[in-house]
Amino acid sequence: MKVIKIGGGCLKNKETIAAILDLLVERGQGNIVVVSALGGVTDLLLNGMHRALADEEAIGELMCRLKSRHMLVAGHVIPGEKQRRAFSLELGKILGKLERLYYGLHFTREITPRMADSISSFGERMCAHLLRTALQAREGKACCRFPEEIGILTDGKYADATAQLDKSETAFMKKLRSMQNGQRVLFIPGFYGVSEGGEITTFGRGGSDYSAAVITAISGAEVLEIWKDVDGFLSADPKFIPGATVLPELSYDEAAELAYFGAKILHPRTVEPLRDKGLPIEIRNTLHPDVTGSRITAQGAARLGVVKSVAHTTDISILKVHASGVGMRRGILSEVATAVAGKGVNIKSVVTSQTCISLLLARKDLEPAAQALQDLQPRPYRNLERIEGIALVAVVGKGLAERPGIAAGCFSAAAACRVNIEMIAFGPSPVALYFIVQESDLRTAVNAIHNHFFQASQGFTR
Ligand code: ASP
Ligand code: MG
């Protein structure tokens, strides 16, 4: 048995959804299918909260939009009138619950983390029902169960939950073993689970990949297949490097680092639930579904010390905390980190010297983090410096840390085209080296480094 995750990119419009359904008729039987929301729906749900807060009238409008978005697809992929009506009824029930939440939010005048998680989880539910009904209409046997029904249990942390694998496995086996009878397709909405107290908690944006990995780990599946509209991980962003090649094999760590550093293929936490059981992930492009694009396993490819990929992201900023004797002052790092975490900000990475702590943050987190430190009394630093307009480039490959010349290769490639490397970190992960450049230099830097490490035709190191 396998778990198939269908990404939002394949659920963008009625044509792509029809193609997915054809594939599921052919190869979905007896497997579990974890779905994202239809493309754009989670954003609609989240933005809708602010509109509902400000204006009661907006709620009705929002419900209409959600209804017509799903009914439009249903009109195309559910041929029978009767089944279409059944879906419309089911959708109405789901939207009724959602509408009550929006009114609750409007009248309490507050968007709590609990409310935001409950509301944002609705896209996946609507999508799972839609696909279930559409598959049934094509004579496929299908059913649908929600995470709250099968007991996907989390630690209860809103917007960043972690699954409790052992407890979820026990619950899942009890409730669902009998349903996997080798014929049906079982649809499960991704993106969220429930705390032990029954609260809906999401796994963070893009978290349905992680959900699918959790379900793979607890259901006795042999593999997680991720169906996408791309082949898999590439040696670089094809927008920068048109000749970038697909990486056929990666280790868990390589995939996690690449995902963390900007490759938008997979949620960075997807490999976590699979580690203990050593279960593989296969990324497949639904345009040629017989070919595995990238396969991710515990060990990855045999060759070590090879640069596999050059990833990048512009969603980065640095907050420099200038203080004397940082390296000697016990507790200053934890004081800074605690203050920043108190504002709900995640520190991506930290580099310290004797006079400065550099916090790497997502762009949106720069101001809240600075604010948190300004509020400290007494201030444990001299001044703060905000650095924006930068980009991060990561070079990823298992064994890189033990191979001499990788950092030097990056430096000389960058220097040859007059790109200044502003900051570098090598060592925190044995499979990744990253550095910061000016955003305006990003394309040049990625090109230079990719060219340096990849021979144009083969895609391997010098
Ligand atoms: N629908 C959610 C999001 O847009 C989860 C996912 O697609 O993975 O973040
Ligand atoms: Mg995704």
Side-chain angles (χ1 to χ4, degrees):
M1 196 261 292
K2 55 190 172 192
V3 171
I4 299 167
K5 149 81 205 300
I6 302 180
C10 301
L11 299 170
K12 258 190 290 220
N13 57 48
K14 41 196 200 315
E15 290 78 19
T16 54
I17 297 170
I20 291 287
L21 287 161
D22 290 341
L23 274 181
L24 284 176
V25 168
E26 210 182 285
R27 49 183 89 201
Q29 283 188 356
N31 296 315
I32 298 177
V33 176
V34 177
V35 301
S36 284
L38 294 188
V41 166
T42 309
D43 286 330
L44 197 61
L45 291 166
L46 286 167
N47 297 337
M49 294 194 304
H50 300 281
R51 292 176 42 220
L53 189 71
D55 175 13
E56 195 181 337
E57 302 281 306
I59 299 173
E61 211 178 281
L62 196 60
M63 291 301 124
C64 282
R65 268 183 81 181
L66 287 164
K67 181 160 188 196
S68 64
R69 176 93 170 79
H70 288 85
M71 287 312 292
L72 199 72
V73 177
H76 189 77
V77 298
I78 308 178
E81 175 65 29
K82 200 169 134 225
Q83 274 143 326
R84 225 170 20 234
R85 244 199 340 262
F87 172 67
S88 172
L89 268 176
E90 199 60 55
L91 182 66
K93 276 192 225 155
I94 298 177
L95 286 174
K97 285 187 194 145
L98 178 63
E99 189 175 24
R100 288 200 287 281
L101 287 177
Y102 277 122
Y103 277 111
L105 180 156
H106 179 80
F107 288 116
T108 55
R109 302 235 155 267
E110 195 182 13
I111 302 176
T112 58
R114 168 204 266 166
M115 190 66 106
D117 267 22
S118 286
I119 287 179
S120 60
S121 69
F122 273 79
E124 272 68 14
R125 291 196 191 92
M126 294 188 274
C127 182
H129 263 297
L130 174 61
L131 295 192
R132 193 274 316 259
T133 316
L135 197 67
Q136 283 172 337
R138 287 166 192 238
E139 311 283 296
K141 288 205 172 88
C143 59
C144 174
R145 290 289 180 277
F146 291 167
E148 56 269 46
E149 295 172 292
I150 55 183
I152 301 209
L153 291 171
T154 71
D155 62 358
K157 205 162 156 210
Y158 295 114
D160 185 28
T162 297
Q164 301 196 52
L165 292 179
D166 290 344
K167 288 187 179 167
S168 301
E169 182 164 356
T170 312
F172 189 95
M173 287 301 168
K174 228 191 308 182
K175 294 192 184 134
L176 273 178
R177 175 148 269 174
S178 57
M179 294 189 56
Q180 290 167 265
N181 60 6
Q183 301 221 339
R184 257 188 289 219
V185 178
L186 168 58
F187 287 96
I188 304 178
F191 188 39
Y192 72 94
V194 279
S195 69
E196 291 193 59
E199 300 289 346
I200 300 290
T201 38
T202 67
F203 298 119
R205 292 308 304 270
S208 55
D209 289 339
Y210 175 80
S211 290
V214 168
I215 293 165
T216 306
I218 65 174
S219 64
E222 287 123 38
V223 56
L224 166 59
E225 273 185 18
I226 301 201
W227 289 9
K228 293 190 79 77
D229 51 358
V230 294
D231 290 333
F233 283 96
L234 295 175
S235 63
D237 183 342
K239 280 197 224 102
F240 283 11
I241 315 275
T245 48
V246 178
L247 307 179
E249 281 200 53
L250 289 96
S251 70
Y252 288 151
D253 288 343
E254 288 171 337
E257 296 287 357
L258 280 175
Y260 186 63
F261 288 124
K264 292 192 176 57
I265 298 292
L266 204 65
H267 191 275
R269 296 186 59 196
T270 313
V271 301
E272 283 174 28
L274 304 172
R275 267 184 204 277
D276 277 355
K277 295 191 175 162
L279 298 167
I281 304 173
E282 292 181 2
I283 298 176
R284 277 168 200 250
N285 188 335
T286 51
L287 292 177
H288 29 89
D290 290 322
V291 190
T292 301
S294 297
R295 185 176 156 86
I296 302 154
T297 57
Q299 50 292 2
R303 241 174 120 180
L304 287 183
V306 167
V307 171
K308 291 271 182 60
S309 184
V310 184
H312 65 85
T313 177
T314 52
D315 184 17
I316 195 93
S317 62
I318 299 178
L319 183 60
K320 286 195 169 184
V321 183
H322 294 284
S324 334
V326 169
M328 315 276 286
R329 278 163 62 188
R330 212 184 319 154
I332 182 166
L333 254 183
S334 99
E335 190 179 354
V336 165
T338 309
V340 168
K343 286 262 181 196
V345 166
N346 173 41
I347 299 175
K348 283 177 178 276
S349 188
V350 52
V351 183
T352 65
S353 72
Q354 182 63 352
T355 56
C356 179
I357 303 171
S358 295
L359 303 174
L360 262 65
L361 307 163
R363 285 193 173 185
K364 68 166 181 17
D365 290 336
L366 182 62
E367 229 14 80
Q371 196 56 54
L373 295 183
Q374 272 158 359
D375 291 347
L376 284 178
Q377 281 307 336
R379 289 186 182 167
Y381 57 88
R382 212 169 47 246
N383 66 302
L384 298 177
E385 186 187 352
R386 296 165 175 79
I387 301 185
E388 293 172 274
I390 51 172
L392 179 150
V393 179
V395 174
V396 173
K398 195 170 168 183
L400 287 190
E402 288 97 56
R403 187 184 151 132
I406 301 288
C410 293
F411 276 125
S412 56
C417 48
R418 306 198 161 281
V419 168
N420 185 38
I421 292 184
E422 315 259 326
M423 186 164 126
I424 179 160
F426 195 14
S429 156
V431 308
L433 147 76
Y434 64 85
F435 49 90
I436 302 290
V437 297
Q438 287 298 321
E439 189 176 355
S440 51
D441 285 338
L442 177 63
R443 186 181 277 264
T444 316
V446 171
N447 262 290
I449 290 161
H450 193 269
N451 284 348
H452 178 84
F453 287 109
F454 289 75
Q455 280 168 1
S457 55
Q458 299 173 19
F460 267 125
T461 56
R462 298 181 166 195

